[in-house]
Every structure is written in C-alpha cells, then in structure tokens.
Amino acid sequence: MASNKKGRPRRGAKPWSGRFNEPVADLVKRYTASVTFDHRLAEFDIQGSLAHARMLRAVGVLSRRDGAAIERGMARILAELRDSTFPWSLEYEDVHLNIERRLTDLVGDAGRRLHTARSRNDQVATDLRLYLRAAIDRVLGLIKLLQQALLKLAAEHADTVMPGYTHLQVAQPVSFGHHLMAYFEMLARDAGRFADCRRRVNRLPLGAAALAGTSFPIDRARVAQELGFEGLCENSLDAVSDRDFAVEFCACAALSMTHLSRFSEELVIWMNPRFGFVELADRFCTGSSIMPQKKNPDVAELVRGKTGRVNGDLVALLTLMKGQPLAYNKDNQEDKEPVFDAVDTVETSLAVFTAMLSGLSVNRERLRAAALEGYATATDLADYLVRKGMPFRAAHETVARVVRDAEAQGRDLAEIKLPELRRYSRLIGGDVYAALSLEGSLRSRRHRGGTAPGTVRAAIARARRSLR
C-alpha cells in the first residue's frame, strides 16, 4: 500500500500512488522524470505557490496558521535553492513534487494542503508562463543593447561609402551606416514581436486545475494581480493544454536568430581578405591548429550555426503539439527543453554579438575601392538621362551599352571622357560626372529611407528616440 494508517503517503511514495498495486519501475522513473531540466522553474514555482496559498487563505480554504507555515517553509526552500543546498531527488520526478515534498518535510500537513484547488497541469503552465515572461524581458533588454551598439557604429559611418549588393553582385553605392541601420530595423521588429508575444504569455492558467476547474471558491483575479498577469486564461481546457505561447516565443527567437545569422554571414564575408572590409578583434576569433596565419571568425560562424538549434526548437514544439487532443497530455513534458534551449541560445547570442560589434574595425578605404568596382553608379547614369527627358527603358538600354563597352576597355564610368559619352546620347552634358561619383550617388537619395548621409543621420536620431 502507498499510505500509512493515518492515510498519509509513505515517504518516497508518489502523491498519486494509492491507485496502484506496485511501484513505478526504476526504468520508467528515469524515463519520465523531468527534474534534471525543469528545476530551473523552481523560483517561479514558489512564486505561483505563494500566490495560490495567499488566495486560499483569503477565501477561507486555508487557515491562517497553515498559510503562515507555508510562507515560512517556502522562504527556507528559496534560500536553499539560492545557496545550492536544496535536496533535489529523482524520486520525486519534477520540480513541483520536489518542492512540495521539501515543504511537507519542513511544515508538515500545511505543505500537503497547498495543492488544494490546483493540479500540476495548471501549476506547470503557470510556472512556464512566469519563466517565459522573465526571459522575454531579458531578451528585450539585450536587443536594446545591440541596437544601441549598432546606432553608435552607424553614426560613425554615415558618410562611409560601400557597395550595396543584390545577388551578392555590386549594385549601387550605399552608406555603411545605412547598411547597419537595416539590421536596426530587423531588431526593432524582433523587439516588437517579443513584446507582442509577452502579452499572450502574460495570462494566468492557474485555477483551471486538471482540466475542468475546481469546486473550491477560488479567486483567480487575485492570483493574477499578485503575479502580475494581465488577464486570465478563459477556458480551463485550453488553459492547461495551450502551448501556443511557447511556440510563439520560439518563433520570435528563430526570427531574431535569423537576423543575427544574416549579419554573421556578412561579417564572415567582409572579413575575408578578398573583401577586407572589416576586422574583428582577436578576442572574438580563433586560430588554426595547423595553419599559423589563420584568424577565424568563429563567433560569427557559431551564431550562424546556433540559428539552426533555435529553428529546431520551434519545429520540435510544433511537432509536439500537432497531434494532441484536449486537454493535458504527458507529451507536454517535452515542451520545456526546446523552450529552455531557445531562451539560452538567443540570450547568449545577442550578448556575444553586441560585444563583438564593440571590437569591430571598419576599413573605409577598402569599402570605397570596392564601391568603385562593378559600375555601381550605372543606375545613376540612367536616372540622369531620364531627368534629361529620355524614357527610363531607353535610358536603361543606353547605359547597358555604355557599361558593356567600358567593361571591355577596363574603365570605370567616371573615367570615360565626355565626348565618348555623348556618342551614346546627345543628352549627356558636363554635369553628368556629379551623377557618376560615389558621393553624388549617395547624396541624391535624400528621401526618407534612402542612403544619403544626412538621411541616415536623421534615421539614427529617430531610432535613438525610439529606444528611450
């Protein structure tokens, strides 16, 4: 039997073991236990349990004495967790039962009464939401720090000319600061998505109990207010089985990592000696065990690689949920490791990326030289002809012939003399060279969102205001 003569579970017995005639096999214990990873929910579990206990006391379900004992016991457990003396046990399978068992050891029957009017189903959903809410707040702070680092670098290079690429082929001149600001915009969208996700995370499932609610006169609004939730999960079945919020977090994290991965790819390319656009500080690179000349951009490569981990976390959660009937199923134990991994990966990646940017040096001369390759101002010549009255398609064809001939002669467009240019069109005058210069090309794009240095500085100013 699982209980003693007083009806209390024997030490080591599961809280549900009265239903069974034999103990759980050791193999099954190891297979089904989650305490090895869900222990990181411990402090959130205590927060939720204290709010639940205070509510039970307020509605008269729990005595004042039991409430005080639970408060005292939880304070002791919290101290043990923080000084790493808490006695974790695989025997109690998860974070919730470990804490409940320790509380009962410390305060006796008061600890056993804590679980009144709740289930582990709504308890774990609450803990995970509390955990993710805190994680989102940290991620938002890390995104802001990276944005600030980008703004600092962009302000230093609003006038720095570089080649803009499409298909990784030289397309048009852009400001290096403008290029950096593209990543600021991506991060701003990331921050917006995480903030929006937080609103859906921040709903209280506690009170749904196992799946149907509880017959006790609970006050869910009180618990929500104490825990800082913005609202309640309105349907008990959905409250215990919903993991949309976890999937959504992983989707936000995957997109954020995708943006870091794209930036990482560019840093890897730019650092290659064939480009030589940037240099990463030695502290963010490694060498080769056999080639002494090597300086490898390992941090950028790892960010790029770890993006696949977070994509995998998202797919794992989607796959986990796709076949589950209502309400809670044991499958949902598998939700935590992907979430924890996504949190850890996106947090560390944002932090290391911000630090890496602080050690980035930019080679203005190499950037400008590269912008002179590939006839980057060809579109400016076409626009010049359009302003002189030529239809754009005709201008496009005309400039294509100029580029083809210049390429055959190994000359840049700005090196072609005016009489030669006029053979392609009599509309071309001496003022054409302003359009053919890199700086002239940049200055001409003064509209909002353009790459003119003044426009880039205005974008940086707006961005700084948005972060206040």
Side-chain angles (χ1 to χ4, degrees):
M1 297 296 291
S3 60
N4 60 25
K5 292 180 180 180
K6 295 182 179 180
R8 295 175 182 171
R10 290 202 313 257
R11 184 170 180 82
K14 303 296 185 185
W16 38 260
S17 57
R19 166 67 175 78
F20 295 85
N21 292 319
E22 60 180 354
V24 176
D26 288 340
L27 176 63
V28 175
K29 287 180 185 177
R30 291 191 297 272
Y31 187 70
T32 60
S34 60
V35 69
T36 54
F37 54 83
D38 68 11
H39 60 83
R40 72 165 69 190
L41 297 177
E43 292 202 20
F44 301 103
D45 192 73
I46 290 172
Q47 288 176 28
S49 291
L50 286 173
H52 181 67
R54 290 164 188 156
M55 179 273 294
L56 292 180
R57 170 70 190 90
V59 300
V61 172
L62 200 65
S63 71
R64 184 187 302 273
R65 182 176 179 178
D66 283 345
I70 289 169
E71 296 268 0
R72 185 175 65 254
M74 285 300 192
R76 170 75 177 273
I77 291 170
L78 186 59
E80 290 175 348
L81 288 167
R82 290 177 175 175
D83 65 16
S84 300
T85 60
F86 182 84
W88 294 105
S89 172
L90 191 67
E91 184 72 27
Y92 295 97
E93 76 187 57
D94 62 29
V95 60
H96 320 292
L97 292 185
N98 267 268
I99 290 175
E100 182 179 331
R101 180 268 309 168
R102 180 60 176 152
L103 181 65
T104 302
D105 285 349
L106 292 171
V107 302
D109 280 348
R112 295 185 180 94
R113 293 190 179 103
L114 174 60
H115 207 56
T116 305
R118 75 173 181 182
S119 161
R120 275 190 297 173
N121 295 356
D122 59 344
Q123 184 180 359
V124 66
T126 301
D127 293 358
L128 191 57
R129 285 174 183 267
L130 288 169
Y131 168 83
L132 265 184
R133 186 180 69 186
I136 289 170
D137 290 343
R138 293 194 305 271
V139 168
L140 286 171
L142 289 166
I143 289 174
K144 185 174 181 179
L145 289 175
L146 179 51
Q147 287 178 301
Q148 290 170 336
L150 276 171
L151 291 177
K152 183 177 183 295
L153 196 58
E156 294 170 4
H157 293 284
D159 293 292
T160 300
V161 183
M162 71 171 291
Y165 296 96
T166 63
H167 307 277
L168 207 56
Q169 305 297 310
V170 174
Q172 293 176 291
V174 297
S175 153
F176 187 66
H178 187 61
H179 192 109
L180 294 173
M181 288 300 291
Y183 287 102
F184 179 92
E185 294 296 323
M186 295 180 207
L187 290 166
R189 294 195 296 274
D190 291 335
R193 273 185 287 268
F194 278 115
D196 195 45
C197 174
R198 190 187 191 278
R199 286 190 284 273
R200 280 178 286 281
V201 167
N202 208 26
R203 295 288 183 270
L204 177 72
L206 203 62
L211 77 162
T214 176
S215 60
F216 289 93
I218 61 173
D219 185 349
R220 297 185 69 206
R222 176 192 172 99
V223 177
Q225 183 176 16
E226 178 169 343
L227 293 175
F229 284 105
E230 297 172 43
L232 306 175
C233 296
E234 294 290 346
N235 180 282
S236 61
L237 290 164
D238 182 56
V240 297
S241 62
D242 169 41
R243 293 299 182 271
D244 290 0
F245 64 93
V247 174
E248 187 175 358
F249 173 84
C250 286
C252 294
L255 265 174
S256 189
M257 287 298 298
T258 295
H259 296 150
L260 295 185
S261 182
R262 295 183 70 183
F263 202 169
S264 294
E265 174 70 4
E266 295 206 300
L267 290 173
V268 170
I269 291 171
W270 293 347
M271 192 177 166
N272 185 293
R274 287 289 182 181
F275 285 79
F277 293 171
V278 301
E279 188 74 16
L280 294 173
D282 288 354
R283 62 186 179 275
F284 296 103
C285 299
T286 63
S288 166
S289 63
I290 188 173
M291 296 168 284
Q293 84 282 8
K294 294 294 292 300
K295 182 178 177 180
N296 300 324
D298 277 16
V299 171
E301 291 172 349
L302 270 175
V303 170
R304 189 176 60 186
K306 285 178 182 292
T307 301
R309 289 178 67 112
V310 180
N311 290 349
D313 294 332
L314 172 59
V315 172
L317 281 178
L318 287 168
T319 306
L320 175 71
M321 297 306 300
K322 74 174 183 63
Q324 289 196 42
L326 291 175
Y328 182 85
N329 299 279
K330 189 65 170 179
D331 311 45
N332 283 346
Q333 181 172 292
E334 293 297 303
D335 63 355
K336 293 165 198 66
E337 287 177 290
V339 169
F340 295 160
D341 184 69
V343 168
D344 291 345
T345 305
V346 75
E347 283 192 270
T348 55
S349 297
L350 285 165
V352 75
F353 209 98
T354 301
M356 183 170 61
L357 280 189
S358 70
L360 185 74
S361 58
V362 180
N363 190 324
R364 289 178 170 86
E365 292 72 25
R366 289 293 291 269
L367 283 166
R368 193 178 194 285
L372 289 170
E373 300 172 352
Y375 307 98
T377 58
T379 304
D380 297 274
L381 179 55
D383 290 346
Y384 170 88
L385 290 171
V386 170
R387 285 193 291 271
K388 295 289 186 177
M390 185 181 292
F392 179 79
R393 286 303 175 198
H396 186 284
E397 180 65 23
T398 298
V399 175
R401 292 199 307 272
V402 177
V403 169
R404 183 184 61 202
D405 294 345
E407 188 174 38
Q409 299 161 18
R411 292 192 293 173
D412 183 66
L413 295 179
E415 296 174 338
I416 304 174
K417 302 299 182 184
L418 182 60
E420 295 178 77
L421 286 173
R422 286 179 61 83
R423 289 204 296 267
Y424 296 95
S425 173
R426 304 303 294 176
L427 295 173
I428 298 175
D431 58 347
V432 71
Y433 294 101
L436 295 179
S437 72
L438 297 176
E439 288 72 20
S441 176
L442 258 62
R443 285 193 301 270
S444 69
R445 288 160 169 80
R446 294 186 296 273
H447 57 81
R448 184 161 174 166
T451 190
T455 302
V456 173
R457 292 190 184 93
I460 292 169
R462 287 194 302 274
R464 282 179 173 149
R465 289 194 296 273
S466 75
L467 295 182
R468 290 176 186 165

